Amino acid sequence: DRFPQPVRCIFFLNMKKSLLLILISAFAFGQIQKVEPAFWWKGMKNPELQILVYGKDISKYTVELSDQIQVKDLTKTENPNYVFITVNTNEINSSLFKINFKENNKTVYSYKYELKNRKPNSANRASYTSKDVMYLIMPDRFANGDPSNDSQKNLTDKANRTEPSGRHGGDLRGIINNLDYLQNLGATALWLTPVNEDNEKRTSYHGYAQTDLYQIDARYGTNEEYLELSQALQKRGMKLVQDYVTNHWGISHWLIKDLPTKDWIHQFPDGEGKYGFKRSNYRITSQFDTNVADIDKKEALNGWFDTTMADLNQSNPLVLKYLTQNAIWWIEYAELGGMRVDTYPYNNKEGMAKWAKAITDEYPNFNIVGEAWMYSPAHISYWQKNSKIAEIDGYNSNLPSVMDFTLYTDLPSALKEEDGWDKGMIKIYNSFGNDFLYPDINNILVFFENHDTERFNEIFNGDSRYYKMALTLISTVRGIPQIYYGSEIGMRGDKNKGGDADIRRDFPGGWKGDSQNAFNPKTQTPEQQDFYHFTQKILNWRNGKDVIHNGKTKHYMPKEKVYVYFRYNEKEKVMVVINNNEKDQTLDLSRFAESLSGISAGKDVISGKDFSVNPQNKLTVSGKSSLILELK
C-alpha cells in the first residue's frame, strides 16, 4: 500500500510471472523421472556412453546437448516414455553438460549431466585370485548395525525377525562393525548376496529380485555406506565382491512395470493374445547340446526363474548395454574387487560374452566368477574363458572364473559312503582327474556349501571332524576357497525341512539382545570354538602360502579311505593326508617316494607337531582327521 496503484499492479504481475515460471520449472523437472546412469566418468577405455532418460511422453521432444556436444545416436522405442542418448565422452571437455529437451525450438526442460574424474589407476585395480579366501555373507542375516533402517516407508517388506523368510534387519553397518572378526578369521574377500533394492512383497531379503539397479536397498543402508565398506576392506588388504544378476529382475522394477520395448524381457503367449510368464525348465545343457529340440532350449533360456523374476533378454542391444554400463558403474563407484554372476548359463550366451569382455577390457585384472550350476566338469568348463570345449562350436565366454560344482557335489558323498569302485573317496580323486578340462584351473571357486545348498554341518549332524576334513581339502587344493557365513562356528540348517530360510539363519550376536555373541571368540561356546579355531588356523596359514595359491598338484589314488596329495613348486612342498576312517591309519610312505625324494621331516600346520617323513618311514594319521605337513 506504500506504492502507487500502477507500481503495485506491475509488482503483482511480476510475482505471478515468477510463480508461473517456478510452476513450469517444477513441471519440467517432473517430466524427467529417471536418468541412468545418473553420472559417469572421464577417461574410460570405451568412451561410448548410453544415457537412459525416462519421463512421460519424453520422446516427443527434440534432444540437444549443450556446448555443441554431438549426439552420436538417439534411440526412441515403441514406449514414448523413453529416450536412449549415446555420446562419445572423449569429445566432451567439460565436467558438466546439459541434456536439453526442446519443443518448437524452445527448451522445455534440461538435465545437468556430470562426468567425474576417475581415481588414479582405477583401470588396473586388483581383484580376487587364488591367493584369496572368499567369505559369503547374506547381509540380512549377518548383523544389524543400524536398527533405524530395518523398515522403510517406501519399501513393502517390513522387518519381522520372527518370520523365517522375512526381513531380519542385517545391514551394511553390521558388516562394517565386524570386519575385525572377518579379518582375524582369515577371510580376504567378501561376497555379499545382492544388496541393491529388492522391493518385492515377500522374501525380499535374498535380494535376487532387484527393483533398482543403481540404488542400495535402504534396509541395508546407502550407496555411500556400500562404498565405505569397500574402502574399509581395502585398508585391510581385503576386497568387496558384488553378486551381480544379469538373468532376471523383480517384477516390481520400474523398468519392468513400464517396459521400454516389448522384448526387453522374455514373454510367452497365453493363448488369449496376452503375453507373460512361463517357468524355465532349467535344462541349461541345451546351451551346447547338439541334439536339443528348439522348444526345450527356448524354455530353458527364456523361461522365468519364478513368477516374481522377469527374465531379461540380453540379445536386445539396449538391455545388454544397460547391464554392461550398470556393472561398470558399480565397479567404478564402489571400487569393487570382483563380481560373482548369478545363474550364468541361463542368459543369452553371445550377449554375456560381450558383457564379460566389455568389463575385462575396461579392467584387465578384474575377476568375475559365474554360477554354472552343472554336474559335469565338461559342462562347467565350457563357461570359462578360452575353453577348448567351447571352441568346438566357436564360442568363447570371456568369463574368467567358474564354480566347481562337481567337487561340491562329490565331497559330502565321498565322506559319507563306503569306498567302492565309484564310491567314497575315489570321487574326490576322479573330480581332480578332470582338471585338464579347465583352461585356468587355479581360477575356479571351490566350496562345499553356499546360500542355496544344504548346510554342510547339517549333513554331518554337527560333527566338526567332517567340517575339518572338508575345509582342509578346499583350503589346500587348486582354486579359490569359498566358505559360507557361520559354518566356521558350526552353524546348521535343514533345507529339506525348513526351506531356504533355515540355511540362512541369523549369526548369533549380530543383534542387540542376542543371548550369545559368537563374533567374540571369548564368548563362543566350546563347540563353536572347536570349529572357529581350526578355521582361523588354516585360513591364516593359507594366506601366505604361494605353493598353495599357484603350485602344482600330484595326487595318489585313495586306499583304505585315505586320500593323499602334494602341492609343490620350486621352493616348497606340502603333503596333505585326509583319513576318512573312524580308526587311525598307518601309511607306508614308500608309495609316495616320487614326491618325498630328499624329504626328511614335516611339521603339521594345525597341531605344530613334527613328523619324520621319508620313503623308509611310516606315518600314522588319526581317524576322521587330516594332516597338512610342510615338508623339509
Side-chain angles (χ1 to χ4, degrees):
D1 291 342
R2 296 178 184 177
F3 297 97
Q5 179 68 22
V7 175
R8 293 205 306 270
C9 289
I10 293 170
F11 180 73
F12 177 68
L13 288 171
N14 283 334
M15 283 191 65
K16 286 179 68 177
K17 184 178 179 181
S18 299
L19 183 61
L20 182 61
L21 288 171
I22 291 170
L23 289 172
I24 290 172
S25 298
F27 172 75
F29 182 76
Q31 283 283 103
I32 302 177
Q33 297 179 37
K34 292 275 188 180
V35 177
E36 292 186 342
F39 57 85
W40 200 247
W41 293 268
K42 299 177 182 179
M44 304 297 280
K45 290 183 181 178
N46 180 1
E48 187 179 277
L49 170 64
Q50 179 179 279
I51 304 169
L52 179 159
V53 184
Y54 175 72
K56 179 66 175 174
D57 294 326
I58 202 165
S59 66
K60 72 180 182 180
Y61 299 105
T62 302
V63 176
E64 191 175 281
L65 306 182
S66 65
D67 304 323
Q68 298 183 326
I69 297 169
Q70 296 297 309
V71 174
K72 295 300 179 183
D73 183 71
L74 182 66
T75 301
K76 298 181 180 182
T77 68
E78 66 255 33
N79 187 333
N81 299 333
Y82 291 89
V83 291
F84 295 83
I85 305 163
T86 301
V87 297
N88 185 330
T89 56
N90 282 350
E91 298 176 359
I92 301 174
N93 297 320
S94 57
S95 296
L96 286 172
F97 65 92
K98 288 184 179 180
I99 305 174
N100 296 318
F101 293 83
K102 292 189 169 186
E103 187 174 41
N104 299 325
N105 213 30
K106 292 182 179 180
T107 299
V108 179
Y109 49 92
S110 64
Y111 180 88
K112 285 185 178 180
Y113 203 90
E114 182 180 7
L115 291 177
K116 299 176 180 288
N117 292 317
R118 300 181 76 183
K119 290 204 169 181
N121 210 36
S122 175
N124 296 315
R125 69 183 63 238
S127 192
Y128 63 89
T129 67
S130 57
K131 295 181 179 181
D132 288 294
V133 174
M134 192 178 292
Y135 187 92
L136 167 57
I137 294 176
M138 184 152 273
D140 184 67
R141 305 301 166 88
F142 191 64
N144 188 354
D146 182 6
S148 70
N149 65 18
D150 290 358
S151 296
Q152 299 288 322
K153 289 182 180 180
N154 62 328
L155 298 176
T156 307
D157 203 2
K158 308 300 182 185
N160 182 2
R161 202 177 172 201
T162 63
E163 168 57 47
S165 294
R167 285 269 178 176
H168 290 189
D171 51 30
L172 296 176
R173 185 58 54 190
I175 299 171
I176 293 170
N177 291 347
N178 287 290
L179 291 184
D180 282 347
Y181 170 84
L182 296 167
Q183 186 177 21
N184 291 337
L185 181 67
T188 61
L190 295 191
W191 159 20
L192 312 185
T193 53
V195 291
N196 284 349
E197 181 190 279
D198 183 334
N199 197 22
E200 295 303 329
K201 295 178 181 178
R202 296 182 65 255
T203 62
S204 69
Y205 74 94
H206 60 65
Y208 287 96
Q210 296 169 89
T211 52
D212 191 329
L213 264 68
Y214 281 95
Q215 190 64 46
I216 296 297
D217 194 296
R219 291 161 294 195
Y220 291 139
T222 63
N223 286 16
E224 292 75 18
E225 282 179 296
Y226 190 59
L227 174 58
E228 180 187 347
L229 170 60
S230 180
Q231 292 176 337
L233 287 167
Q234 291 174 58
K235 290 178 180 177
R236 297 167 179 262
M238 302 168 72
K239 306 170 186 74
L240 179 60
V241 178
Q242 185 180 62
D243 198 331
Y244 200 85
V245 187
T246 53
N247 181 64
H248 49 262
W249 292 345
I251 56 170
S252 299
H253 194 294
W254 67 272
L255 272 157
I256 303 299
K257 287 182 174 181
D258 191 19
L259 290 171
T261 63
K262 185 178 178 180
D263 68 346
W264 191 272
I265 61 174
H266 292 120
Q267 303 188 65
F268 293 80
D270 64 358
E272 298 179 0
K274 297 180 180 179
Y275 288 79
F277 169 81
K278 186 178 185 69
R279 191 179 297 277
S280 173
N281 62 28
Y282 308 111
R283 301 299 179 182
I284 48 175
T285 53
S286 58
Q287 285 272 31
F288 41 70
D289 182 354
T290 57
N291 305 311
V292 70
D294 289 343
I295 183 62
D296 292 334
K297 182 175 181 178
K298 181 179 179 181
E299 290 182 0
L301 302 182
N302 298 355
W304 293 21
F305 248 61
D306 202 351
T307 55
T308 60
M309 296 179 177
D311 197 76
L312 295 169
N313 177 16
Q314 300 84 20
S315 64
N316 180 325
L318 293 174
V319 175
L320 185 61
K321 189 68 172 179
Y322 185 98
L323 292 170
T324 303
Q325 287 189 167
N326 179 255
I328 291 173
W329 189 91
W330 277 113
I331 295 168
E332 195 73 20
Y333 170 78
E335 303 175 16
L336 297 178
M339 282 183 167
R340 175 264 186 186
V341 182
D342 187 61
T343 56
Y344 204 86
Y346 289 87
N347 297 277
N348 174 272
K349 67 180 185 181
E350 289 79 16
M352 288 305 295
K354 295 176 183 177
W355 181 88
K357 187 175 188 303
I359 293 171
T360 51
D361 280 352
E362 196 68 58
Y363 306 96
N365 302 320
F366 198 77
N367 207 353
I368 309 170
V369 60
E371 180 198 33
W373 195 332
M374 309 176 88
Y375 299 99
S376 162
H379 294 164
I380 299 169
S381 63
Y382 178 93
W383 297 102
Q384 191 174 31
K385 180 180 179 180
N386 298 329
S387 169
K388 297 296 183 184
I389 294 173
E391 279 183 8
I392 294 172
D393 59 9
Y395 180 68
N396 192 336
S397 71
N398 297 309
L399 177 70
S401 179
V402 289
M403 301 170 72
D404 191 351
F405 275 98
T406 307
L407 182 61
Y408 150 75
T409 304
D410 289 340
L411 184 52
S413 55
L415 295 177
K416 289 173 69 175
E417 296 171 345
E418 291 298 320
D419 276 7
W421 174 253
D422 60 351
K423 296 184 183 299
M425 298 296 280
I426 195 67
K427 285 187 172 180
I428 301 175
Y429 178 82
N430 288 340
S431 180
F432 294 122
N434 289 301
D435 281 3
F436 72 97
L437 293 169
Y438 294 93
D440 188 356
I441 192 60
N442 284 331
N443 196 23
I444 66 174
L445 202 70
V446 290
F447 61 103
F448 48 79
E449 62 180 351
N450 63 30
H451 61 297
D452 288 322
T453 71
E454 189 71 275
R455 280 274 188 181
F456 192 86
N457 291 326
E458 185 70 33
I459 296 172
F460 293 98
N461 199 31
D463 189 334
S464 67
R465 299 178 301 168
Y466 290 93
Y467 170 82
K468 292 174 182 178
M469 288 189 287
L471 185 66
T472 294
L473 186 79
I474 68 164
S475 299
T476 56
V477 296
R478 78 295 186 268
I480 307 160
Q482 172 253 299
I483 61 175
Y484 183 39
Y485 83 97
S487 286
E488 76 279 6
I489 56 166
M491 277 179 63
R492 297 172 60 174
D494 193 330
K495 181 170 180 167
N496 293 323
K497 292 182 180 179
D500 285 339
D502 206 42
I503 60 172
R504 302 166 180 174
R505 297 178 185 177
D506 297 346
F507 194 102
W511 280 254
K512 187 177 181 180
D514 280 2
S515 59
Q516 190 251 334
N517 179 17
F519 283 113
N520 184 350
K522 294 181 180 179
T523 56
Q524 291 172 349
T525 66
E527 292 79 12
Q528 290 171 339
Q529 288 178 345
D530 183 33
F531 285 88
Y532 176 84
H533 288 307
F534 185 90
T535 306
Q536 183 185 43
K537 187 88 172 181
I538 196 170
L539 296 189
N540 278 281
W541 167 80
R542 185 193 187 279
N543 286 343
K545 282 294 167 183
D546 186 67
V547 67
I548 302 299
H549 307 156
N550 300 301
K552 296 180 180 180
T553 300
K554 179 165 290 192
H555 67 161
Y556 292 78
M557 188 179 68
K559 288 189 176 182
E560 308 298 333
K561 301 173 74 171
V562 179
Y563 181 44
V564 177
Y565 56 93
F566 293 78
R567 301 300 310 282
Y568 63 97
N569 58 23
E570 293 180 354
K571 296 181 179 180
E572 285 189 276
K573 186 174 288 187
V574 174
M575 179 181 184
V576 182
V577 185
I578 299 175
N579 176 16
N580 195 32
N581 292 276
E582 285 290 346
K583 296 181 179 179
D584 297 356
Q585 292 292 305
T586 299
L587 308 182
D588 184 346
L589 295 183
S590 63
R591 181 174 175 235
F592 313 110
E594 63 186 283
S595 295
L596 292 176
S597 176
I599 300 299
S600 60
K603 181 184 285 290
D604 180 31
V605 167
I606 302 300
S607 67
K609 292 181 180 179
D610 290 314
F611 291 82
S612 178
V613 182
N614 64 64
Q616 288 75 45
N617 286 354
K618 296 184 184 300
L619 178 68
T620 299
V621 186
S622 300
K624 295 292 181 184
S625 76
S626 56
L627 286 177
I628 306 173
L629 299 175
E630 291 186 301
L631 301 180
K632 301 176 183 180

